[in-house]
Amino acid sequence: GVGIFFQQEGDGSVVVKTIVSGGSAEREGSVRVSDQILSVDEHKVVGEPLSVLRGLILGPQGSFVKLTFQRKDMGEVHTFDVRLMRGSAEYLQSLTSSKTIEDEIDQLRLQLRQALSHCSQDRDELDRLRKMLQTERDQSQMRERELELLQQENSRDLSQMNEALRTAEQGRREAETQLHPLQQREADLAEELNRQKEKERLRKEYIEELKKRHDDEKQRLEGLFLKEQAGRREDQVARLGGESQLGRIQSELSRLRTLEQGRREREDEYKDRMQQEMARLQDAIRTQDVVRTAIKETEVKISRYTGEYLQYTQQLVPPEEALDDDNLFLA
């Protein structure tokens, strides 16, 4: 073999359990305990039983075999190949006994270079970790400053919004105060309009009655006119009486027309007053709608800024330094 004892894990992977002292793997120096073997002479052995691995590694003493390993170091995965000579520790010792001291020195130098290389990697990793720690500290300080600025800005915005809310609430109260008399005035005008409509209905009924009386009188006068044709005296008397009655009716109609004209003028005056009051009422309603819209927008902004502030605070402040609800509200 090559001086390595392997162990198969539960997931089927095969790892180095022990390195035989004086074996080929120890002399080569690249293989470590816990390295995972991937292939033997390009033949994949992951998931294969140990008997297959043993059959691939074992061979004549003095022959070479190529092993591919995978190593996890500091969270990074490395894959490397190793070419080892088959043979026991005694066989390899017999081969190395003929080597010169210079070969041993070269081997030691190689091992020293490998050790220095590992030390350099460790130093580089330590420097990288130190830089990462310093960067995290700088970022933490920056986040703390940003959080303080954000808290100050949110406090100013909250004060402005509270002031705007108080102003809007005061405007709403004033609008409601102004709206109440207008509503009462509107009710009075509606009642007055109903009374005028009732008067108009009665007037129309009176005019219809007068028209009916006028038609009846006209028919009566026409009958008298026919009777007058039978006798001039009766005709003259009837004609004079009809003209007199007609004059009275015309006078009554003129008086009614005058009353109708006055009623129309009063109705136009009431309509103008009603339109003015309705315009004032609509202005008050629009003012109330504007105030309600401003209040709703202010409440939405307060909710949104408060939510953003809480979300940003939860993202930036570590859990052990998080404030309770009362302190957070006071901030």
Side-chain angles (χ1 to χ4, degrees), residues 83-102:
R83 190 168 181 269
L84 302 176
M85 177 184 291
R86 294 185 178 95
S88 62
E90 293 78 6
Y91 175 76
L92 296 175
Q93 182 64 31
S94 65
L95 292 178
T96 56
S97 60
S98 60
K99 290 184 179 180
T100 61
I101 298 176
E102 184 178 355

Side-chain angles (χ1 to χ4, degrees), residues 74 123-133:
M74 300 296 291
R123 284 195 298 271
D124 294 339
E125 183 66 19
L126 182 59
D127 293 337
R128 185 178 67 84
L129 292 175
R130 287 175 179 173
K131 292 179 180 179
M132 289 176 60
L133 181 60

